[in-house]
């Protein structure tokens, strides 16, 4: 079998055909797969069968895609409560891979894959990378963590199936990342956006400008990020920063991914059905309006998910994409409902703060939000790194930038914050998902 289809000038291959399936055929395929998935779950997963029975709904009641609204939701707590294998719909003898999320509190969650699930995963990653303009001959530095985390191994097999050269470097060891990137001639990198920003500056400290390397595409995901962050990355490195979306509970990376139009990830709708719902009522939001993303897997065998509540806030992007794919898009996830901070009664998202900060000149995309409770009042401090010249410039520069940042944050969030400018390399760096918020309010409340 040849790989001509994804050679430099190739544009089409049966493997990617489903990206362009006519709408009617796509919905028919979804319905057929939904019916099969619900049947599989009903007969193999006790918890979901009990819930469906309690609602008086049987698999054969699903006659249209809208009937999905008769099915119960699945929550992350369901995975914890049935730890480790309670939601599996395949016997363990058919499960060829396990992954798990570490989970900061309590039990981790465990997910499983059959051989066919591995094929599905490989296929969606292959389509994601192809949509990002990657092909045979590309050298992909995969800096997502290898191990129980789905990021590393998830990207790995799809990248190989594409015919690209994979460097399975995993996360961490920034010095080696830079040397390998330079010496091996990596043309693409996969990691979290915050780790990539760390690599930009680590490279600079070693005298390596990423702009001068052959690197041309970044596949970024596994944490919320903003358009401002994308602009910063693209400006600093001249690469295309592509958003890939996924979560372990559904498959890992590859639930959706952006094409080169960079207008939000296309969801691989032949494998995943998405709904955008009002998080309070569970009612569907009209196209284009913001709500919680709820996902149902359509072809997973080992651990199908029915109406999984992601807590990711997004909207369906109406209208066709310039690339010609018929798969619908969602807006890149920049916030999650459980990221929400309540500061003096006001709802604040870290992404709002990120967007406000990065609009002010001379700021660097390293910041930390510190919440404290002082004299019965919430206090929000934002520590942010600024370029080194700010500290050596004329007196008054610091104050001017502080004031500008304070204003930007207050007008975006409605909350006044104390701004602390710090020198480059002051705030802690993360090799995976960035920790932006330090909430000390509970500790403060315990103080005598
Ligand atoms: Zn597109």
């Amino acid at each position: 079998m040849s790989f001509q289809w994804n050679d430099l000038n190739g544009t089409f291959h049966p493997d990617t055909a489903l990206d362009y399936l006519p709408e009617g055929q796509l919905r028919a395929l979804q319905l057929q797969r939904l019916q099969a998935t619900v049947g599989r779950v009903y007969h193999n997963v006790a918890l979901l069968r009990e819930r469906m029975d309690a609602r008086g709904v049987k698999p054969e009641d699903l006659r249209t895609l809208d009937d999905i609204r008769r099915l119960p939701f699945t929550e992350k707590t369901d995975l914890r409560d049935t730890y480790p294998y309670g939601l599996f719909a395949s016997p363990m003898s058919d499960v060829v891979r396990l992954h798990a999320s570490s989970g900061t509190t309590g039990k981790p969650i465990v997910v499983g894959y059959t051989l066919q699930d591995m094929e599905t995963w490989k296929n969606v990653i292959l389509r994601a990378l192809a949509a990002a303009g990657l092909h045979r001959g590309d050298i992909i530095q995969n800096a997502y963590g290898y191990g129980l985390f789905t990021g590393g191994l998830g990207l790995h097999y799809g990248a190989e199936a594409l015919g690209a050269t994979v460097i399975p470097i995993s996360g961490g060891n920034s010095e080696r990342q830079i040397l390998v990137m330079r010496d091996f001639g990596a043309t693409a990198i996969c990691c979290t956006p915050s780790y990539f920003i760390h690599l930009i500056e680590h490279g600079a400290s070693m005298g390596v400008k990423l702009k001068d390397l052959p690197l041309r595409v970044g596949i970024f995901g596994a944490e919320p990020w903003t358009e401002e962050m994308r602009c910063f990355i693209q400006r600093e490195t001249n690469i295309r920063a592509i958003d890939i979306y996924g979560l372990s509970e559904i498959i890992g990376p590859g639930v959706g991914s952006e094409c080169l139009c960079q207008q939000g990830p296309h969801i691989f709708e032949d494998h995943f059905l998405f709904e955008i719902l009002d998080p309070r009522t569970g009612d569907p939001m009209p196209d284009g309006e913001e709500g919680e993303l709820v996902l149902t897997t359509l072809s997973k065998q080992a651990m199908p998910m029915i109406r999984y509540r992601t807590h990711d806030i997004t909207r369906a992007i109406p209208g066709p994409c310039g690339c010609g794919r018929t798969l619908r898009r969602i807006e890149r996830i920049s916030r999650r409902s459980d990221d929400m901070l309540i500061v003096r009664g006001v709802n604040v998202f870290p992404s709002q703060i990120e967007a406000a900060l990065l609009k002010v000149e001379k700021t660097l995309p390293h910041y930390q939000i510190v919440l404290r409770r002082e004299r019965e009042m919430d206090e929000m401090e934002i520590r942010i790194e600024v370029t080194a010249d700010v500290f050596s410039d004329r007196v008054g520069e610091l104050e001017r930038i502080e004031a500008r940042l304070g204003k930007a944050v207050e007008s975006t969030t409605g909350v006044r914050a104390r701004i602390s400018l710090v020198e480059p390399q002051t705030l802690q760096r993360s090799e995976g998902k960035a920790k932006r918020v330090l909430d000390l309010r509970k500790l403060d409340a315990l103080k005598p």
Side-chain angles (χ1 to χ4, degrees):
M1 189 181 141
S2 84
F3 275 106
Q4 284 159 354
W5 62 277
N6 59 2
D7 278 342
L8 276 169
N9 298 314
T11 52
F12 186 76
H13 181 270
D15 277 351
T16 61
L18 292 177
D19 289 17
Y20 305 93
L21 209 58
E23 166 98 23
Q25 283 180 44
L26 181 57
R27 302 292 161 236
L29 178 68
Q30 284 188 312
L31 178 60
Q32 181 200 335
R33 288 185 169 176
L34 176 68
Q35 288 165 336
T37 297
V38 173
R40 182 179 185 88
V41 163
Y42 187 81
H43 292 109
N44 293 291
V45 183
L47 178 77
L48 291 163
R49 181 168 56 246
E50 283 160 23
R51 284 188 185 163
M52 283 176 62
D53 284 345
R55 290 173 155 234
V57 51
K58 294 268 182 276
E60 50 274 21
D61 295 332
L62 286 161
R63 293 191 190 90
T64 69
L65 286 174
D66 285 340
D67 289 333
I68 195 170
R69 293 174 57 192
R70 303 182 60 181
L71 297 172
F73 291 117
T74 308
E75 293 272 3
K76 190 168 213 157
T77 49
D78 295 326
L79 281 111
R80 296 216 174 95
D81 294 347
T82 57
Y83 173 86
Y85 305 138
L87 294 184
F88 282 21
S90 293
M92 283 310 285
S93 53
D94 287 346
V95 174
V96 300
R97 175 84 70 80
L98 296 173
H99 280 284
S101 83
S102 48
T104 43
T105 52
K107 291 174 194 158
I109 56 157
V110 178
V111 297
Y113 303 77
T114 64
L115 214 47
Q116 191 188 307
D117 292 336
M118 298 308 301
E119 281 299 310
T120 303
W121 201 5
K122 191 166 78 181
N123 176 267
V124 289
I125 293 292
L126 185 159
R127 289 159 66 185
L129 298 176
L134 296 172
H135 42 68
R136 184 182 187 194
D138 269 305
I139 299 177
I140 302 180
Q141 181 159 342
N142 188 8
Y144 280 118
Y146 279 64
L148 283 179
F149 174 54
T150 47
L153 284 165
L155 259 302
H156 183 99
Y157 293 97
E160 281 186 357
L162 184 71
T165 307
V166 183
I167 310 172
I169 191 165
S170 194
N173 198 339
S174 306
E175 175 127 2
R176 192 179 57 170
Q177 297 275 359
I178 297 294
L179 294 177
V180 163
M181 193 186 297
R182 186 192 63 190
D183 298 347
F184 293 16
T187 55
I189 184 160
C190 312
C191 60
T192 59
S194 58
Y195 187 54
F196 185 67
I197 283 179
H198 174 51
L199 288 179
I200 297 175
E201 87 193 344
H202 202 88
S205 74
M206 296 164 62
V208 179
K209 277 193 191 142
L210 270 48
K211 238 180 196 165
D212 301 336
L213 302 182
L215 196 71
R216 62 169 224 283
V217 176
I219 306 291
F220 299 125
E223 68 183 7
W225 56 310
T226 57
E227 192 58 30
E228 286 75 13
M229 188 69 103
R230 166 155 42 209
C231 292
F232 178 88
I233 289 173
Q234 297 194 149
R235 196 174 59 230
E236 292 294 311
T237 60
N238 280 347
I239 68 166
R240 296 290 281 271
I242 297 289
D243 182 47
I244 188 164
Y245 176 70
L247 60 169
S248 300
E249 297 91 314
I250 299 301
I251 198 162
V255 175
S257 203
E258 281 182 332
C259 64
L260 287 173
C261 298
Q262 294 176 292
Q263 302 278 318
H266 288 276
I267 299 293
F268 293 111
E269 291 183 281
D270 46 324
H271 294 299
F272 312 106
L273 191 153
F274 76 90
E275 303 170 81
I276 308 282
L277 304 179
D278 181 327
R280 286 158 309 153
T281 63
D283 292 333
M285 300 299 290
D287 249 18
E289 283 186 36
E290 214 173 63
E292 180 181 345
L293 178 68
V294 173
L295 287 163
T296 298
T297 63
L298 297 176
S299 42
K300 281 271 288 299
Q301 293 185 325
M303 208 177 87
M305 273 289 148
I306 303 294
R307 305 193 85 198
Y308 185 71
R309 299 196 59 159
T310 65
H311 295 279
D312 287 328
I313 305 292
T314 184
R315 62 191 186 95
I317 298 179
C321 182
C323 72
R325 284 179 177 75
T326 49
L327 303 170
R328 285 187 302 159
R329 290 162 298 155
I330 59 168
E331 193 164 82
R332 189 187 51 245
I333 308 292
S334 65
R335 58 205 178 97
R336 296 174 43 79
S337 59
D338 39 14
D339 282 344
M340 192 177 77
L341 307 167
I342 301 179
V343 183
R344 284 176 233 142
V346 179
N347 300 345
V348 176
F349 288 93
S351 60
Q352 291 176 299
I353 294 178
E354 177 178 302
L357 295 176
L358 291 181
K359 278 182 190 141
V360 176
E361 268 174 58
K362 302 201 171 180
T363 56
L364 298 171
H366 295 288
Y367 62 93
Q368 189 180 37
I369 301 162
V370 185
L371 295 168
R372 307 213 58 143
R373 192 139 179 91
E374 294 167 8
R375 294 186 301 278
E376 305 288 302
M377 275 283 280
D378 292 340
E379 291 296 334
M380 178 162 74
E381 181 194 358
I382 298 168
R383 299 175 185 157
I384 176 160
E385 292 183 9
V386 286
T387 53
D389 61 299
V390 171
F391 292 93
S392 51
D393 263 6
R394 302 182 313 278
V395 184
E397 177 81 358
L398 275 172
E399 285 79 359
R400 262 196 303 279
I401 292 181
E402 256 172 30
R404 221 172 285 154
L405 286 168
K407 217 174 184 179
V409 170
E410 190 174 353
S411 69
T412 312
T413 64
V415 175
R416 190 183 289 265
R418 190 187 311 152
I419 304 289
S420 306
L421 303 185
V422 297
E423 294 189 51
Q425 304 283 351
T426 311
L427 298 175
Q428 205 191 340
R429 303 295 192 255
S430 149
E431 289 175 352
K433 304 183 189 202
K435 282 203 179 65
R436 305 287 194 200
V437 181
L438 194 61
D439 193 342
L440 303 172
R441 288 178 294 185
K442 277 197 184 123
L443 282 176
D444 287 340
L446 296 174
K447 282 185 190 157

